[in-house]
Amino acid sequence: PVSKGMTPYGVGKRFELAVSDLGSDDKKLLGNENYFLEVWMGAIRNGIEPLPILERAIGNVKTRANRELNTVPKVDEKIKDITEKMKTAKKEEQIKLIFNLESLKKVKINLEIRNQKLVESIPNFTEAMKQIMEYRVEQGIPSVDIKFKEE
């Protein structure tokens, strides 16, 4: 991420990746504080102010997470509908409904896991931001308080 020619768009996409993957089990996915810091430093080296881009990236990640979280009740409703249909369905139709039901249950579990991982990433993100602010102070750059809207 420190290459010359990094654009604000590239910084934003990399921040989104860093923030959303901080909760990943697989740290090979770049989901760690170091990648986050590399993106921040890469932006600075390329003359890009990273803070407003980071705030937008976090907003984008939150929007995606909320969209996925809002999908869970819809999936629950579909599961309930299929369960009701199974009571009156013929044997052949029940087989299809069972397949659909199992698929929806897997979708729901995956959505819940992704949301939980995003929640778990917050301490890692907080630690990375602390390191960034300490670096800013060391370099004589004023530290800033980042306040994000609580949802």
Side-chain angles (χ1 to χ4, degrees), residues 23-34:
S24 172
D25 290 334
D26 185 359
K27 293 302 178 188
K28 294 176 195 164
L29 291 175
L30 308 175
N32 60 42
E33 299 88 351
N34 292 336

Side-chain angles (χ1 to χ4, degrees), residues 16-140:
E16 286 180 31
L17 175 68
V19 170
S20 61
D21 282 350
L22 277 171
S24 172
D25 290 334
D26 185 359
K27 293 302 178 188
K28 294 176 195 164
L29 291 175
L30 308 175
N32 60 42
E33 299 88 351
N34 292 336
Y35 184 69
F36 181 83
L37 293 169
E38 287 173 25
V39 173
W40 185 278
M41 295 308 299
I44 290 172
R45 285 187 192 112
N46 283 278
I48 300 168
E49 176 54 45
L51 190 57
I53 297 171
L54 172 63
E55 290 170 341
R56 277 194 309 273
I58 290 171
N60 291 343
V61 170
K62 281 184 176 181
T63 299
R64 272 199 312 275
N66 286 335
R67 191 175 334 136
E68 288 180 2
L69 190 58
N70 290 336
T71 303
V72 172
K74 293 175 187 172
V75 172
D76 280 338
E77 189 63 35
K78 287 180 184 177
I79 288 171
K80 184 179 173 185
D81 290 346
I82 289 175
T83 304
E84 286 299 315
K85 285 180 183 177
M86 284 180 63
K87 293 177 183 176
T88 58
K90 294 182 181 178
K91 186 111 176 154
E92 300 83 29
E93 192 178 342
Q94 280 184 345
I95 292 170
K96 290 179 186 177
L97 291 172
I98 288 171
F99 178 76
N100 289 341
L101 187 62
E102 292 304 314
S103 295
L104 285 171
K105 286 180 180 180
K106 288 178 186 176
V107 166
K108 179 182 175 185
I109 289 169
N110 287 334
L111 288 170
E112 289 171 340
I113 288 171
R114 274 190 288 201
N115 187 59
Q116 184 59 36
K117 288 186 184 292
L118 188 61
V119 169
E120 290 168 1
S121 73
I122 292 170
N124 294 332
F125 173 72
T126 303
E127 179 58 30
M129 285 307 300
K130 180 179 157 198
Q131 291 176 25
I132 286 170
M133 293 309 148
E134 287 171 1
Y135 176 80
R136 287 176 69 105
V137 170
E138 288 172 12
Q139 298 301 312

